Amino acid sequence: MIEYRNLRVALLGAGSVGAQVASLLLEHGPELATRAGAGLELVGIAVRDLDAPRTADLPRELFTTDAESLILGADIVIELMGGIEPARTLILQALGSGADVITGNKALLATHGPELFEMAEQVGAQLYYEAAVAGAIPIIRPLRDSLAGDRIKRILGIVNGTTNFILDRMDTAGESLEQALATATDLGYAEKSDPSADIEGFDAAQKTAILASLAFHTTVPLDLVYREGITGVTLAEVEAAKRAGYVVKLLAICERLTDADGVEGVSARVYPALVPRSHPLAAVHGAKNAVFIEAEAAGDLMFYGAGAGGVETASAVLGDLVSAARRHVIGGPGVAESTHANLPILPISHVTTRYQITLSVTDEPGVLASVATLFSEHGVSVEAVTQSVSSSEEGAHPTATLVIGTHEASEAALAATVAALGESAVVSHVTSVLRVEGS
Amino acid sequence: MIEYRNLRVALLGAGSVGAQVASLLLEHGPELATRAGAGLELVGIAVRDLDAPRTADLPRELFTTDAESLILGADIVIELMGGIEPARTLILQALGSGADVITGNKALLATHGPELFEMAEQVGAQLYYEAAVAGAIPIIRPLRDSLAGDRIKRILGIVNGTTNFILDRMDTAGESLEQALATATDLGYAEKSDPSADIEGFDAAQKTAILASLAFHTTVPLDLVYREGITGVTLAEVEAAKRAGYVVKLLAICERLTDADGVEGVSARVYPALVPRSHPLAAVHGAKNAVFIEAEAAGDLMFYGAGAGGVETASAVLGDLVSAARRHVIGGPGVAESTHANLPILPISHVTTRYQITLSVTDEPGVLASVATLFSEHGVSVEAVTQSVSSSEEGAHPTATLVIGTHEASEAALAATVAALGESAVVSHVTSVLRVEGS
């Protein structure tokens, strides 16, 4: 029996996620009310264009273009417009009026998160954002609550479905990057007009900033997240990785580390990396997402599921809505931001990892020795070298391909090594430099 | 800055999990206090035997044999003794005195859960139990909060590490059940004195009851969970499964279903089943656990990690401890039990699934036709038949092996079919009947 008054829910945005949220809220209202302890009344949906086509059939009278008036009377505001403005201003207004806010806006959280959380704290309102990272996968609550008694060492995440789809096509169907991108665009995974948010790693970087902030209780600004996209990944690299027992994945990495000077800090970075085939992340195919967490006590955990999609992401939004409603009814804590640790954010040069470097070299005696010397001069220890079949063009010097796997080395030492390799007389060119993660 | 008074934490039990909880709590006290918003003071550890060896070095003055006195002065009681009594009485006393309780006691929750939750609700205290299912893996909060706005259709869980280890050894190392059990015992995964809680599926059934109750907002009594262990699984079955593209896993299955009479209900069951190699659960090796959730909106999700182990499970307990402490500081909802749906629990005979049946038959014309007729007479539709190499002993009738895969059929129809096969003149014997799940 529900004795609490109805809660007024305002929705901003009716795109693929917003339309599904509205549709599910209208369809499952009574069931959600039972779980929340209060009726949930959708009082309106703010959109830019009243006549735009929608993916769900929604009552026309709910739509309005006047977002500001809509949020004024709301207990809970769901922001699913995306982008920085007017989303930022509307969320600040909503929080300012005492409403709890639910958002899936990763770009906004990654750039203006602290401002929004500060406003929420000042007025005692709550800001929920389960949908902002990894779509339907519950990751915010597990990090914030379930692992609150543990210390997170590292997170390796596949948090962008489009790039995972592309890399998976390259790996399983032998498509080139361009072909795989075209397939992704045809299937609606990639934006036709501008796929750069995905393939350049901007989307993954935003999610990395949010995850790292949460995992390490530290504000991680987006511009301190190191970022490389997948545009430089070649089919030859993917195929060579396959032969060597690896798969190439675009990883969002959040790591607690102590650098050479003994400074404890946080590294947040996004780049394509070699992942051993035996690692659970290697089995994440298609547009699926997964977040792999290494914690001091809990050990290795993985959360897997749909990282995007209207109805899938709507599930995360509605979970937040029920939590927000319960808090209205019973009171108590929501998803507060916690930045008490405030660790320094370390630049990529402080990171150490393993590398796999592919070189095209002159095939003559002494080359391996001189390449090996060059690595050791820069303090990079070689773990394994594979020399593959020589090829030579008519009249040219014969060449060979060297694949060099290193032990853990710093980014700084590696960058110096690669620069020196580029200038070496015996090296024709540096074909590929990839980091190895998850091993 | 922490302004709240210290919270008094009493620990009952100092086995492998309890000792790690105490050790981590003492070691990370200040960090946990910052996250919880209050100091967490371990006021005592109740044990049966003060001189028993412990897996962690803990201050001797904390130990007591007087559990009742210890809980009287506690704000939060952590019960990690296991077993029904005295755990049940002590938890009821703790809740009765207004303390919040954290437990990892699956046997107790599966048998006396409603009594404990009712007491908690009466006095406004909370009962947390993240550690009771799948050890370190956050599963209770995701089910209760993150998916609160969704409808769960089905859960397929690998929730017993010992049996997963055994089945994995059979699959990957070709060991017999007995050999694999011996390996598991040597490595400390299986109880030497009595492995039946694991291999007969009792442990998995307890976790199934807890998961099903939570997922479907319905009290699921342990004795209504259908249970088969792995003792009947042969190496021949595991190898045949491998050839057919399957792996045998002991699954905890919680399913919302509508039976032939249109009755909506819940099925909770545990049995070894064939899982397609392409299913994410097939990649769960060794003693790891994983819970695969199929939700209406969110789609497929999987939670993966360590299902047991002292320090791993301690992570889940400490996560609950921080939640409980936050609730003391800020107030608000904890992990309340919700049984508002109260769906009927359907017996195994109402379940439909696919089957793979292996028969030894007389190798003569017309056998396949008579077997096929027998299936169709019982309303079980055959999807595929494979007849493998005949073998015959000197002087005996030649025999062949038939592997029959069915479409979805009810347990009742299948049981009738298998009974009829057993009586058929052309069937020498029914070698194996396995259900197929996750496809």
Side-chain angles (χ1 to χ4, degrees), chain A residues 30-290:
Chain A
E31 191 166 347
L32 294 173
T34 313
R35 298 190 197 164
L40 297 165
E41 185 191 348
L42 180 59
V43 292
I45 306 172
V47 293
R48 260 184 313 186
D49 176 2
L50 291 174
D51 298 315
R54 310 288 168 201
T55 58
D57 192 25
L58 299 168
R60 179 129 192 133
E61 63 273 21
L62 285 177
F63 287 94
T64 170
T65 53
D66 183 0
E68 298 202 19
S69 301
L70 182 61
I71 61 179
L72 267 182
D75 298 299
I76 299 170
V77 174
I78 302 175
E79 184 274 309
L80 295 168
M81 324 166 75
I84 305 301
E85 289 293 355
R88 174 183 153 274
T89 303
L90 290 171
I91 290 179
L92 287 171
Q93 283 177 359
L95 292 170
S97 78
D100 285 347
V101 171
I102 296 159
T103 179
N105 193 328
K106 53 197 171 280
L108 182 61
L109 286 171
T111 50
H112 295 77
E115 178 190 18
L116 303 180
F117 287 110
E118 202 182 324
M119 169 64 105
E121 198 178 341
Q122 273 178 20
V123 302
Q126 291 291 326
L127 184 59
Y128 298 83
Y129 55 101
E130 185 64 75
V133 180
I137 308 174
I139 186 65
I140 303 301
R141 267 185 202 77
L143 272 177
R144 177 182 169 270
D145 294 331
S146 308
L147 290 164
D150 208 329
R151 298 187 93 212
I152 290 163
K153 294 193 293 185
R154 188 158 69 151
I155 297 175
L156 299 177
I158 295 173
V159 295
N160 180 270
T162 308
T163 48
N164 199 58
F165 177 86
I166 291 171
L167 293 171
D168 194 38
R169 289 292 289 193
M170 293 171 76
D171 184 66
T172 58
E175 292 185 353
S176 69
L177 181 70
E178 292 69 29
Q179 287 170 321
L181 175 57
T183 311
T185 310
D186 286 349
L187 294 172
Y189 289 133
E191 284 282 341
K192 208 167 212 140
S193 54
D194 180 14
S196 64
D198 293 321
I199 64 174
E200 298 287 1
F202 291 106
D203 173 82
Q206 290 165 355
K207 293 164 178 167
T208 307
I210 297 170
L211 283 177
S213 298
L214 193 60
F216 302 121
H217 308 280
T218 291
T219 304
V220 178
L222 180 59
D223 55 8
L224 296 187
V225 178
Y226 177 83
R227 177 190 53 77
E228 290 176 29
I230 64 163
T231 50
V233 178
T234 65
L235 182 57
E237 282 180 322
V238 171
E239 288 176 340
K242 200 169 186 170
R243 286 191 297 273
Y246 293 108
V247 58
V248 179
K249 294 286 187 192
L250 183 69
L251 294 185
I253 305 177
C254 312
E255 193 169 20
R256 182 195 296 271
L257 46 82
T258 307
D259 72 5
D261 305 324
V263 178
E264 195 185 22
V266 167
S267 162
R269 53 196 202 268
V270 173
Y271 47 63
L274 299 174
V275 175
R277 293 259 160 195
S278 56
H279 193 282
L281 285 175
V284 178
H285 296 292
K288 291 283 188 182
N289 282 17

